């Protein structure tokens, strides 16, 4: 039986945590104290550095109380690296007096087996974190895929020879909204100042008016589409199986991946990457109907292309159940939500075509108007051809599932693999012993595959770092001298 959080916080654990929290890292009397060095080395603000130190405290606490191997995130590992350089404070105060044990920083030996090992350690670390402190902040504890991805996120660079510019995606979004608002206001003013019918207007006024109609019709179509997806269902996500969560997230293909991941995890099947075949090696056992049918399909013809082509047909009952409880739209609802909103941009497109025809007959320049009509045609087709699958209730249920199982999706333990694949996709399998299936579903590019094949830079085993041949794998769970 798993102990609850209150049961875990014994007197000994509470005393340890109090000592850890009381240990000073900031020293206002010193201009270059530990916090300042961390800010300088990582480019963090003071608040970010203090947050990272807090996560380092928690990591060291877990390493002491759990008594097994633990692996930090890249960010926490950077704090650990810096602390190790303060040898007297680390060994004589932190380990001896505060923690009461030595925690060693063990480097990885590199290779696929080490990568898989430290991925499991990292998943267990986040699971322990959740039990002691609640959900881990993704800012400091990213998911397994991001933590061990290649190429590594972090590099040590010389700022005298290179410029470092942050990504400002929010700026582009705000700038785009400002441009659209400006066009809308200008078009409205132009439309109100002109008489006659729009087909008789001269080019610039009509183009401003047409741009306003393009924006307005697109926004109204989006709102209408959203309203049509509200089928009145209020069913939650309680009781959904991983296969059903997978179908809700990304359809039959995701359900196929989830069922395959579960079969691989239970060692009912194996995947031969060289021959691109699934090999059935155990009886079905206690499987759901779709998973049992998938196993039979693999037993009859285990070729990967054949399984992937036919396997998605096995999850029709899963789709019907989700439609029945209102999390997916049925075919009629989906068609209405696609076609009806498309009528709005379609009507604007018809006006543009009519004006272009009038301009052509009157020998007026229409090239720019034709370009806008092409844009409007694309928007109309996107609304008409991209049929929504989930209802609004389905969106809310999926959002709740992702929040509820955020840690399991980001860093799954072996028994949580099917749910992680359901929410995240086969990326949850990368770096594990089942990574060949992820490679089958998401083949790497030539560049990434060539760098991975060398195995000389094992980002998955430690600090994501700059050390060729692997980084740190974490601590040994309390270690010793």
């Amino acid at each position: 039986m798993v102990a609850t959080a209150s049961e875990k916080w014994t007197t000994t654990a509470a005393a340890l945590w109090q000592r850890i929290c009381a240990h000073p890292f900031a020293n206002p009397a010193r201009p270059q104290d530990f916090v300042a060095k961390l800010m300088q080395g990582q480019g963090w603000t003071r608040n970010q550095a203090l947050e990272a130190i807090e996560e380092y405290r928690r990591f060291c606490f877990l390493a002491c109380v759990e008594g097994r191997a633990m692996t930090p995130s890249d960010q926490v590992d950077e704090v650990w690296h810096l602390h190790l350089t303060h040898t007297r404070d680390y060994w004589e105060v932190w380990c001896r007096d505060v923690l009461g044990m030595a925690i060693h920083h063990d480097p990885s030996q590199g290779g696929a087996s080490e990568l898989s090992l430290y991925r499991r350690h990292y998943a267990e670390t986040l699971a322990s974190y959740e039990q002691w402190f609640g959900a881990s902040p993704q800012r400091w504890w990213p998911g397994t895929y991001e933590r061990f991805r290649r190429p590594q996120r972090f590099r040590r660079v010389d700022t005298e020879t290179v410029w470092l510019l942050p990504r400002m995606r929010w700026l582009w979004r705000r700038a785009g909204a400002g441009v659209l608002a400006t066009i809308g206001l200008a078009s409205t003013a132009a439309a109100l100042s002109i008489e006659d019918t729009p087909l008789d207007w001269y080019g610039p006024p009509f183009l401003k008016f047409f741009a306003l109609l393009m924006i307005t019709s697109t926004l109204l179509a989006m709102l209408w589409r959203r309203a049509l997806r509200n089928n009145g269902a209020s069913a939650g996500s309680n009781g959904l199986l991983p296969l059903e969560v997978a179908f809700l997230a990304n359809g039959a293909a995701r359900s196929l991946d989830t069922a395959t991941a579960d079969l691989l995890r239970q060692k009912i099947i194996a995947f031969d990457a060289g021959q691109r075949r699934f090999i059935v090696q155990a009886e079905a056992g206690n499987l759901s109907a779709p998973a049992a049918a998938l196993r039979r399909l693999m037993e009859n013809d285990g070729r990967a292309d054949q399984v992937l082509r036919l396997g998605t047909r096995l999850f029709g009952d899963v789709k019907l159940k989700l439609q029945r409880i209102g999390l997916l739209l049925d075919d009629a609802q989906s068609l209405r939500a696609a076609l009806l909103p498309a009528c709005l941009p379609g009507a604007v497109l018809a006006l543009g075509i009519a004006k272009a025809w009038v301009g052509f007959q009157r020998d007026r320049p229409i090239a720019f108007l034709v370009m806008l009509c092409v844009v409007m045609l694309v928007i109309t087709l996107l609304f008409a051809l991209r049929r929504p699958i989930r209802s609004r209730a389905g969106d809310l249920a999926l959002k709740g599932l992702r929040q509820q199982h955020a840690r399991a999706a980001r860093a799954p333990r072996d028994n949580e693999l099917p749910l992680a694949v359901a929410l995240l996709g086969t990326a949850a399998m990368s770096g594990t012993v089942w990574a060949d299936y992820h490679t089958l579903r998401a083949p790497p590019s030539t560049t990434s595959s060539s760098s991975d094949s060398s195995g000389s830079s094992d980002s998955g085993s430690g600090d994501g770092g700059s050390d060729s041949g692997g980084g740190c794998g974490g601590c040994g769970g309390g270690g010793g001298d």
Side-chain angles (χ1 to χ4, degrees):
M1 182 177 178
V2 179
T4 63
S6 58
E7 293 172 339
K8 281 179 171 290
W9 283 101
T10 62
T11 303
T12 303
L16 171 63
W17 179 240
Q18 288 177 356
R19 293 197 305 272
I20 289 175
C21 291
H23 183 76
F25 283 98
N27 186 353
R30 299 178 60 184
Q32 279 294 317
D33 65 350
F34 187 89
V35 178
K37 290 181 179 180
L38 193 60
M39 293 167 59
Q40 182 180 18
Q42 301 301 318
W44 290 337
T45 65
R46 182 172 182 82
N47 285 338
Q48 289 173 336
L50 291 174
E51 289 176 9
I53 290 171
E54 177 66 17
E55 299 305 319
Y56 171 63
R57 294 182 196 270
R58 294 182 176 188
F59 169 74
C60 291
F61 173 82
L62 294 175
C64 292
V65 298
E66 291 292 341
R68 53 182 169 79
M70 311 293 284
T71 295
S73 65
D74 281 315
Q75 296 89 333
V76 173
D77 193 47
E78 291 298 329
V79 184
W80 194 4
H81 281 184
L82 181 61
H83 199 187
L84 282 165
T85 65
H86 294 64
T87 55
R88 288 188 176 86
D89 182 70
Y90 184 81
W91 293 112
E92 298 178 8
V93 181
W94 182 250
C95 290
R96 185 188 65 190
D97 299 336
V98 176
L99 304 182
M101 62 179 64
I103 299 183
H104 293 278
H105 188 287
D106 296 329
S108 165
Q109 302 303 314
S113 61
E114 288 278 290
L115 170 62
S116 179
L117 174 65
Y118 288 118
R119 285 178 65 95
R120 290 199 300 273
H121 288 174
Y122 186 67
E124 294 291 346
T125 301
L126 264 64
S128 297
Y129 186 109
E130 188 174 54
Q131 293 171 3
W132 285 94
F133 300 107
S136 56
Q138 191 165 358
R139 167 68 176 84
W140 304 109
W141 297 93
T144 305
Y145 177 74
E146 184 177 359
R147 168 65 176 86
F148 297 103
R149 72 183 183 183
R150 295 172 178 159
Q152 299 94 332
R153 295 174 57 207
F154 297 97
R155 292 288 189 273
R156 183 177 179 181
V157 298
D158 183 355
T159 55
E160 292 186 358
T161 60
V162 299
W163 289 346
L164 299 179
L165 298 176
R167 295 185 180 183
M168 297 183 291
R169 297 173 184 171
W170 61 271
L171 179 62
W172 301 115
R173 290 197 294 268
R174 294 185 180 182
V179 170
L180 293 178
T182 302
I183 293 175
L185 292 174
S187 302
T188 302
L192 295 175
S193 63
I194 297 179
E195 299 178 356
D196 300 328
T197 63
L199 294 179
D200 294 323
W201 294 354
Y202 288 101
F206 179 84
L207 290 176
K208 294 176 182 178
F209 177 65
F210 190 73
L212 172 64
L213 290 181
M214 289 176 64
I215 297 169
T216 304
S217 64
T218 302
L219 292 176
L220 289 177
M222 292 170 63
L223 293 174
W224 194 4
R225 183 183 178 100
R226 178 187 176 92
L228 289 172
R229 291 175 56 230
N230 187 2
N231 58 1
S234 59
S237 58
N238 293 334
L240 289 183
L241 301 174
L243 288 181
E244 295 161 352
V245 175
F247 204 106
L248 184 64
N250 201 31
R254 182 67 63 82
S255 290
L256 171 63
D257 292 336
T258 301
T260 303
D262 197 24
L263 292 174
L264 288 168
R265 180 187 66 86
Q266 297 186 57
K267 298 183 179 180
I268 294 175
I269 64 169
F271 178 62
D272 188 331
Q275 298 185 6
R276 293 172 61 88
R277 293 185 65 89
F278 294 98
I279 303 170
V280 175
Q281 54 187 20
E283 295 299 323
N286 187 21
L287 296 177
S288 63
L294 181 61
R295 177 195 171 280
R296 289 194 298 271
L297 175 62
M298 293 175 176
E299 191 172 31
N300 294 334
D301 188 346
R303 291 176 298 168
D305 56 348
Q306 187 78 349
V307 171
L308 297 180
R309 183 173 64 85
L310 299 177
T312 54
R313 305 176 186 178
L314 305 175
F315 302 92
D317 289 342
V318 176
K319 178 180 179 181
L320 290 176
K321 177 185 175 180
L322 294 174
Q323 289 178 341
R324 187 168 59 253
I325 62 179
L327 299 184
L328 294 184
L329 300 175
D330 61 35
D331 293 340
Q333 292 171 333
S334 178
L335 188 62
R336 282 197 302 271
L339 296 183
L340 291 181
C343 294
L344 294 177
V348 176
L349 174 62
L351 174 64
I353 293 174
K355 177 60 176 175
W357 177 250
V358 171
F360 175 75
Q361 288 184 323
R362 296 177 182 178
D363 199 22
R364 301 277 177 82
I366 60 171
F368 193 67
L369 178 58
V370 170
M371 292 172 58
L372 292 180
C373 287
V374 171
V375 173
M376 212 61 211
L377 174 62
V378 172
I379 293 175
T380 302
L381 291 177
L382 286 175
F383 275 105
L385 300 180
R386 294 182 61 188
R387 294 174 55 175
I389 304 301
R390 286 191 301 270
S391 65
R392 288 284 299 142
D395 283 347
L396 294 175
L398 184 60
K399 180 180 179 181
L401 285 164
R402 285 174 171 157
Q403 291 175 344
Q404 180 183 355
H405 302 289
R407 194 273 312 156
R410 287 161 48 204
R413 291 176 285 186
D414 288 353
N415 64 320
E416 297 167 332
L417 181 67
L419 183 60
V421 172
L423 292 171
L424 186 65
T426 59
M429 306 171 72
S430 63
T432 68
V433 295
W434 310 289
D436 286 339
Y437 181 73
H438 169 61
T439 303
L440 172 71
R441 296 297 267 161
S445 63
T446 304
T447 302
S448 62
S449 62
S450 62
S451 63
D452 288 349
S453 62
S454 65
S456 61
S457 179
D458 189 359
S459 67
S461 49
D463 58 6
S466 52
D467 298 334
S468 176
C472 84
C475 67
D481 291 326

